[in-house]
Amino acid sequence: MTRRRKDYYEILGVPRDASLEDIKRAYRKLVKEWHPDRHPENREEAERRFKEIQEAYEVLSDPQKRAMYDRFGYVGEQPVYQEAQEHGTPFEDIFREFEDFFNRDIFEVFFGETPRERRERFAPRRGEDVEYFVEVDLSTLLKGAEITIEYDRYETCPRCRGSGVEPGSGYVDCPVCGGTGRIREERRSFFGYFVSERPCTRCEGTGRIPKEFCRECGGSGRVKRKVRRTIKLPPYVEDGARVRFSGEGNAGFYGGPYGDLIVVVRLRPDPRFKKSGRDLIYDLTIDYLQALLGTTVEVPLPEGDTTLLKIPAGTQPETIFKLKGKGLPDEHGRRGDLLVNVHVEIPKDLTREEKAILEELARKRGIKIS
Ligand SMILES: [Zn+2]
Ligand SMILES: [Zn+2]
């Protein structure tokens, strides 16, 4: 028996470490060059080359297939043994040879799965995670408020307890696979003949089907339910965070555990604050007289309430007052600071009287004004 091992790199004329770009470029050039319509005098040869180029490209342009090809010399789902079959070699021998050659389990070679994965395929499977988007205010988050959400999820069918079988009906052999749980397929493509085996979709590989499907869930073992949950998000989550609530997702298959609920947090920005890491910046504008004489102002806190901040007399523009521990918490509960950035507003619309007072003041302080 001869096993043709094609060198896809050679076919595309690229080095083994070629980038995806190189591969695409080589492919585009070669398919044009070897298009059968351009070789009417030698159409058969052109067709062969054309298919070869397609095949090589299909494998090398797919990172997973390429990795497999680099490792084993061919791609698992499409082993080429056309010639072997034409020469009448029984399949079993080819299997054996593949097995010997790679010293691997034939299923791993052909189906890209390890024996362990194969054993586990029909074992209980965990349910899917369910994603839920929630939009919260910073203050709600920091106060640790509870949020009530409502979403759809699959729960284990209470009538059949997840088996999909109508209580009392029992099982019969699957008519599609004859009770083996597997479907064997032979198909022909331009790569050659392929024999593949896949789990039977009718019985999901179990080889048996319920004599009567559960009337509640129709045989799926799961029913869709609207559920309400009250959740509390950790105060340190950031916009876009994904918070996992274990076991609150969809029911599992074949008695597998529930998946998780993943709450994707959209944190509504608070326009009053700018963020700088865990610190918050609050821009405060005061009148020049307040800066000169001092005052007390109310500063909003991210939780929603306010605090009083004393502005001493003679505060300079752009002074930053630090309110320690009033910023955002991290996951250890440490909080950043709230930085109050003071801007001083100089009035542009003095009355005649105000102007007179200020000119008098300037004269007294010996400040030249005109
Ligand atoms: Zn079946
Ligand atoms: Zn049911």
Side-chain angles (χ1 to χ4, degrees):
M1 167 196 148
T2 52
R3 191 185 325 109
R4 186 174 40 159
R5 308 267 320 268
K6 288 181 183 173
D7 188 333
Y8 291 147
Y9 291 98
E10 209 175 278
I11 291 168
L12 292 185
V14 294
R16 299 195 82 80
D17 59 354
S19 70
L20 187 56
E21 265 319 300
D22 295 338
I23 288 165
K24 281 184 182 164
R25 207 173 309 120
Y27 167 73
R28 279 194 292 263
K29 185 172 151 274
L30 287 169
V31 283
K32 243 182 262 166
E33 202 174 307
W34 285 99
H35 197 286
D37 290 349
R38 294 179 65 166
H39 299 271
E41 78 297 337
N42 199 1
R43 201 176 165 89
E44 218 167 276
E45 166 72 1
E47 264 170 17
R48 193 185 61 75
R49 295 288 292 264
F50 190 73
K51 281 175 188 172
E52 227 170 41
I53 293 158
Q54 301 276 9
E55 181 184 334
Y57 179 70
E58 195 173 293
V59 170
L60 296 187
S61 61
D62 179 318
Q64 244 177 327
K65 288 184 184 167
R66 184 178 176 182
M68 184 152 180
Y69 173 75
D70 287 344
R71 239 175 111 193
F72 305 121
Y74 66 86
V75 173
E77 301 141 30
Q78 302 176 327
V80 177
Y81 54 89
Q82 179 178 18
E83 281 147 335
Q85 204 203 25
E86 281 162 2
H87 290 100
T89 312
F91 284 137
E92 282 71 19
D93 288 359
I94 305 165
F95 282 0
R96 193 100 328 107
E97 184 169 327
F98 267 96
E99 253 182 9
D100 291 348
F101 188 78
F102 293 102
N103 196 20
R104 299 163 70 89
D105 182 291
I106 194 67
F107 278 89
E108 183 176 353
V109 174
F110 271 62
F111 303 112
E113 57 183 6
T114 65
R116 200 177 131 261
E117 283 165 343
R118 189 169 80 250
R119 269 199 308 277
E120 287 178 355
R121 188 169 35 204
F122 306 122
R125 231 164 54 226
R126 182 178 174 276
E128 308 92 340
D129 291 338
V130 173
E131 267 187 8
Y132 186 87
F133 288 82
V134 75
E135 209 177 311
V136 287
D137 290 321
L138 186 57
S139 63
T140 309
L141 191 66
L142 292 183
K143 280 190 288 206
E146 290 182 329
I147 304 165
T148 300
I149 61 172
E150 220 179 64
Y151 61 99
D152 290 331
R153 74 161 184 171
Y154 284 104
E155 297 196 335
T156 303
C157 173
R159 186 177 175 85
C160 62
R161 293 202 187 85
S163 68
V165 189
E166 175 65 17
S169 96
Y171 292 88
V172 290
D173 274 355
C174 171
V176 175
C177 61
T180 61
R182 302 195 69 85
I183 301 284
R184 201 178 147 98
E185 271 181 345
E186 279 179 38
R187 60 198 161 93
R188 195 184 160 82
S189 79
F190 60 70
F191 296 124
Y193 274 111
F194 304 117
V195 175
S196 65
E197 238 186 33
R198 57 175 175 78
C200 171
T201 47
R202 176 73 192 277
C203 61
E204 295 217 24
T206 57
R208 49 181 209 165
I209 56 167
K211 210 161 158 188
E212 201 185 326
F213 288 114
C214 169
R215 276 176 225 151
E216 171 106 24
C217 63
S220 68
R222 310 197 302 176
V223 282
K224 207 164 202 174
R225 290 272 186 270
K226 200 172 266 309
V227 291
R228 264 168 99 90
R229 292 285 182 270
T230 301
I231 57 165
K232 213 167 149 170
L233 297 170
Y236 54 81
V237 300
E238 307 222 23
D239 187 34
R242 300 165 65 81
V243 184
R244 199 172 270 273
F245 294 87
S246 176
E248 299 292 355
N250 284 334
F253 302 89
Y254 310 113
Y258 274 78
D260 297 338
L261 168 68
I262 295 173
V263 174
V264 183
V265 181
R266 160 94 178 104
L267 192 53
R268 249 181 248 125
D270 188 327
R272 297 172 303 175
F273 304 108
K274 276 185 284 202
K275 234 180 120 219
S276 169
R278 291 279 151 197
D279 292 338
L280 291 174
I281 301 164
Y282 176 69
D283 285 302
L284 173 72
T285 302
I286 57 172
D287 191 82
Y288 79 113
L289 291 172
Q290 292 176 310
L292 279 172
L293 303 170
T295 185
T296 302
V297 290
E298 224 177 347
V299 171
L301 293 175
E303 284 91 334
D305 40 2
T306 60
T307 189
L308 293 178
L309 173 67
K310 203 174 146 37
I311 307 283
T315 291
Q316 302 298 309
E318 308 313 314
T319 300
I320 291 171
F321 292 97
K322 188 191 276 188
L323 299 178
K324 265 198 107 48
K326 301 290 185 193
L328 302 174
D330 66 14
E331 53 209 282
H332 310 292
R334 282 188 298 254
R335 288 186 66 168
D337 303 324
L338 176 58
L339 307 173
V340 181
N341 191 4
V342 178
H343 307 285
V344 177
E345 196 166 48
I346 310 285
K348 290 179 184 151
D349 54 351
L350 291 179
T351 62
R352 189 174 297 192
E353 192 194 351
E354 286 168 337
K355 206 169 166 222
I357 294 170
L358 290 171
E359 280 168 355
E360 172 68 15
L361 194 58
R363 261 194 301 281
K364 280 192 171 153
R365 287 186 69 110
I367 294 169
K368 181 179 183 307
I369 51 170
S370 62

